Amino acid sequence: MAVKRDNDTNKWYYYGSYRVGNETKQYKKRGFDRKQDAIKAEVLFKESLKNPGSKMTLNEMIDIYMEFSEKRIKESTYKNHIVMFKVWRDALGDKLLQKITTKDIQDVLEELLSKNKFSSVHQYYLRIQAVMNYANKHQYITDNPCSRVDLKKNPNLHKEEMMYWTEEQFNKFIDNVDSTIFHLLFTNQFYMGTRIGEALALQWKDLDFENNTITINKTWNDKIKKCTTPKTQNSYRQISMPQFLADEYKSLKSRLDVPEDSFIYGIDVPFSRAKVTNQLQNSVNSLNKRLKDGEKLPMLRMHDLRHSSASFMINNMVTRGKINFSAYDIAKRLGDELDTVLRIYAHWFPQADKDIVNFMDKNKNTWM
């Protein structure tokens, strides 16, 4: 222990150092009227070092965790986590970390479930779970309240159907899109199946007209207004264009005098997702006004064009008994893992399965 009198103020203070892992930290606190008060305060301070989370609030723990994670995740992910943690800060931020119970966390999640989709609430849960795991690992808490949280989907909720267009529906739509650049973008999304951020990040240098390929190596993030690395390692890919799409790209390029590193969909800065979504919805609404009720197209989000692309490929895996390509080929083209494609689009595979059986029956005699 080290306690001294401050000659300038005639007050007592304590000071010293302590170890945190391999790091030495200094401490000092001033302003005590009596030497005994400074000694007692230092004893209490040293006791608190043995239990670092005893006076820590959830807000403080989140701050520590965010400082740790900032250098380990993408900038866009970090900013998204800031938004998600606001829910936990508002609900439990001022509560002592070691006083937070499973019920506290469960109550917040139940409130979120009453207003949000399960998938969104699950993301909020993963965020607080990550903080509590970090706190437990670094001994700020000895019991993790998240370990007993019961977060399950309501079995009575009807699962929303995945929205998509058939090729026939897409053709009806695209024939009525007058804008050259959006005609190209929507066609790209249906036949290439890229994520919208990947498409908006495309530069002319990413297109190889000699081999008719597109290289995906980045994604555009609207929130931070810059390109970042793709979603996953599998997202890095080179995919082939059908000739009609390559020709449409060439036609647009021939009318432009822009450098190779300019963005295709926006030149200096890509279009915002809101602008693209508005264009899609306005085009669908305009077309539907001219169609009879039974002919109207369902309204899609931009991401649903990716689903449409997956549906189009899955339904053409096998034609007339001929196997054209595999689920692995589709996953590679979409930039997903095979198990992801099988999980998300499982309900579309039965038709391909029937085609395979028809192929087996048709060719049975040739195998005997």
Side-chain angles (χ1 to χ4, degrees), residues 196-359:
I196 183 57
E198 294 171 345
L200 294 177
L202 285 176
Q203 298 166 285
W204 287 108
K205 65 183 180 182
D206 298 322
L207 273 61
D208 179 352
F209 290 122
E210 184 175 341
N211 296 298
N212 278 3
T213 61
I214 291 180
T215 298
I216 306 294
N217 55 23
K218 56 192 175 299
T219 186
W220 177 256
N221 188 288
D222 258 354
K223 293 180 180 178
I224 61 176
K225 304 298 180 188
K226 68 180 184 181
C227 288
T228 65
T229 55
K231 185 176 181 181
T232 66
Q233 278 300 116
N234 285 342
S235 301
Y236 288 94
R237 62 199 188 278
Q238 187 177 81
I239 47 180
S240 298
M241 291 183 281
Q243 188 60 53
F244 63 83
L245 180 60
D247 290 342
E248 191 169 348
Y249 270 114
K250 288 178 185 177
S251 177
L252 175 63
K253 182 75 184 302
S254 67
R255 286 177 277 164
L256 300 174
D257 182 17
V258 294
E260 286 293 296
D261 62 355
S262 63
F263 294 103
I264 297 174
Y265 300 107
I267 303 180
D268 294 325
V269 177
F271 300 146
S272 69
R273 295 192 184 206
K275 179 176 181 177
V276 173
T277 298
N278 288 338
Q279 183 67 39
L280 174 66
Q281 294 178 344
N282 290 339
S283 298
V284 174
N285 286 330
S286 176
L287 175 60
N288 280 343
K289 287 179 182 178
R290 305 193 301 271
L291 297 176
K292 298 177 181 178
D293 286 344
E295 300 174 343
K296 295 182 186 295
L297 298 179
M299 182 61 72
L300 299 188
R301 307 165 301 160
M302 277 304 298
H303 191 71
D304 293 326
L305 285 179
R306 176 172 163 86
H307 293 325
S308 301
S309 181
S311 171
F312 172 66
M313 288 187 284
I314 289 170
N315 287 320
N316 286 281
M317 286 173 61
V318 180
T319 54
R320 297 179 182 179
K322 178 184 178 183
I323 301 175
N324 299 313
F325 40 81
S326 68
Y328 173 79
D329 296 323
I330 295 173
K332 188 175 180 180
R333 187 170 179 84
L334 292 174
D336 274 327
E337 293 186 358
L338 177 58
D339 61 347
T340 302
V341 170
L342 294 176
R343 173 173 50 82
I344 295 176
Y345 304 113
H347 57 296
W348 287 336
F349 279 94
Q351 182 57 49
D353 181 61
K354 291 178 182 178
D355 286 336
I356 292 172
V357 171
N358 290 337
F359 168 76

Side-chain angles (χ1 to χ4, degrees), residues 6-105:
D6 189 325
N7 294 327
D8 294 330
T9 63
N10 207 32
K11 299 279 187 177
W12 291 88
Y13 67 93
Y14 68 80
Y15 67 98
S17 63
Y18 61 96
R19 303 277 296 178
V20 178
N22 294 323
E23 184 180 357
T24 299
K25 292 191 174 184
Q26 306 295 322
Y27 67 85
K28 178 187 288 187
K29 189 167 184 179
R30 302 173 180 273
F32 297 97
D33 292 325
R34 300 184 306 164
K35 182 177 181 180
Q36 294 92 323
D37 294 335
I39 293 173
K40 183 178 179 180
E42 186 178 21
V43 170
L44 293 174
F45 172 76
K46 288 189 172 182
E47 284 297 316
S48 73
L49 293 178
K50 299 176 184 178
N51 186 8
S54 61
K55 295 184 179 181
M56 182 178 291
T57 65
L58 178 61
N59 275 334
E60 292 169 331
M61 189 67 248
I62 291 175
D63 290 339
I64 291 172
Y65 174 77
M66 289 296 283
E67 183 179 356
F68 164 80
S69 65
E70 184 175 10
K71 302 177 182 65
R72 293 166 172 81
I73 57 178
K74 293 170 62 173
E75 181 182 357
S76 55
T77 303
Y78 178 79
K79 292 196 172 183
N80 182 53
H81 287 183
I82 291 176
V83 173
M84 300 191 81
F85 276 130
K86 186 178 186 305
V87 168
W88 294 106
R89 289 182 186 275
D90 291 345
L92 301 170
D94 293 330
K95 190 163 186 174
L96 289 175
L97 185 67
Q98 294 183 357
K99 297 293 185 181
I100 294 175
T101 65
T102 298
K103 185 179 183 304
D104 291 330
I105 294 174

